[in-house]
Amino acid sequence: KNEVEQSPQNLTAQEGEFITINCSYSVGISALHWLQQHPGGGIVSLFMLSSGKKKHGRLIATINIQEKHSSLHITASHPRDSAVYICAVRFIGNEKLTFGTGTRLTIIP
Amino acid sequence: GAGVSQSPRYKVTKRGQDVALRCDPISGHVSLYWYRQALGQGPEFLTYFNYEAQQDKSGLPNDRFSAERPEGSISTLTIQRTEQRDSAMYRCASSLGRYTGELFFGEGSRLTVL
């Protein structure tokens, strides 16, 4: 069964802390996306990964294909990072995206 | 425009009416996806197209839902005989490629069925 699990579901941290959000999936994938959704807002694509690591500003995304696991890291977190972060994968042989349940991140000033 | 455009942004309708939601993807994007998102929930896949061909409609809840993309660009999601449980945010996304390519999401169409 093609499944995507995220952890934690909710995360509250102080401004400046290092944040890690995890995503695990059940079978082989062709691509993994990290998405950001602000309250009441649209969805923005942060990263698309098929291997290795990508960095954009304070955001870092890694993926371990063998372990079927990806992490999204935020360094020097800021209140404006408060949002729901969603992991979505394309399983091999299936072009549609399967979404994780999301991680609600709150950064306290 | 440069992004994915959806219309209407908000639609309030009475139960039993038909609604049509429109998605205008980024020019040249091959793949177009429709998702539905209930309040407080993650997105749920509905259907997707490559060019004008509907590749997978397994996420459409029932036969009241249909979608088309006749010229491989603009797509319309139609819900017939709307029910209150159809109330949700309907999101469209497009990507340049098929199996890969960054996803670009529209701002969504919020449907409320009274």
Side-chain angles (χ1 to χ4, degrees):
Chain A
K1 186 177 178 183
N2 295 348
E3 293 181 334
V4 181
E5 292 187 357
Q6 279 188 244
S7 64
Q9 282 193 314
N10 294 283
L11 177 58
T12 300
Q14 294 287 332
E15 182 174 356
E17 287 190 36
F18 181 81
I19 303 299
T20 296
I21 298 170
N22 298 297
C23 176
S24 297
Y25 48 91
S26 54
V27 296
I29 64 170
S30 57
L32 182 145
H33 297 255
W34 280 103
L35 310 171
Q36 179 193 55
Q37 185 171 25
H38 280 101
I43 298 176
V44 175
S45 176
L46 299 175
F47 295 102
M48 188 190 70
L49 296 163
S50 55
S51 64
K53 175 180 176 178
K54 287 189 176 180
K55 183 176 189 293
H56 181 70
R58 295 180 295 107
L59 302 177
I60 303 166
T62 64
I63 188 167
N64 185 317
I65 297 297
Q66 287 71 33
E67 295 186 3
K68 297 184 177 61
H69 179 268
S70 176
S71 292
L72 176 69
H73 305 286
I74 305 175
T75 61
S77 59
H78 189 276
R80 65 175 175 265
D81 297 326
S82 298
V84 175
Y85 293 83
I86 303 169
C87 167
V89 305
R90 269 200 188 92
F91 290 105
I92 291 173
N94 190 340
E95 293 181 54
K96 73 181 186 184
L97 281 181
T98 301
F99 292 86
T101 52
T103 295
R104 183 173 299 278
L105 174 65
T106 304
I107 303 298
I108 299 171
Chain B
V4 178
S5 177
Q6 290 188 246
S7 61
R9 291 288 309 281
Y10 302 93
K11 177 69 176 179
V12 180
T13 191
K14 291 184 178 179
R15 188 176 53 188
Q17 297 293 307
D18 297 351
V19 297
L21 307 176
R22 171 184 163 130
C23 173
D24 193 349
I26 293 173
S27 178
H29 277 199
V30 168
S31 299
L32 183 148
Y33 303 81
W34 281 101
Y35 301 102
R36 179 170 70 172
Q37 189 172 21
L39 200 61
Q41 303 292 318
E44 171 193 17
F45 169 81
L46 294 177
T47 185
Y48 82 94
F49 295 82
N50 287 328
Y51 301 104
E52 73 282 358
Q54 191 171 20
Q55 300 292 324
D56 185 336
K57 54 182 181 179
S58 64
L60 295 177
N62 50 61
D63 60 8
R64 295 185 297 106
F65 287 73
S66 64
E68 62 174 9
R69 192 187 185 197
E71 297 179 2
S73 179
I74 293 169
S75 177
T76 302
L77 177 70
T78 302
I79 310 171
Q80 296 179 309
R81 306 180 302 281
T82 53
E83 301 178 5
Q84 286 186 323
R85 60 179 171 158
D86 300 333
S87 297
M89 177 71 84
Y90 289 82
R91 298 191 182 274
C92 171
S94 69
S95 67
L96 183 61
R98 291 184 57 177
Y99 293 96
T100 59
E102 184 180 356
L103 283 170
F104 294 85
F105 285 81
E107 294 192 7
S109 293
R110 181 168 294 284
L111 174 66
T112 302
V113 182
L114 301 175

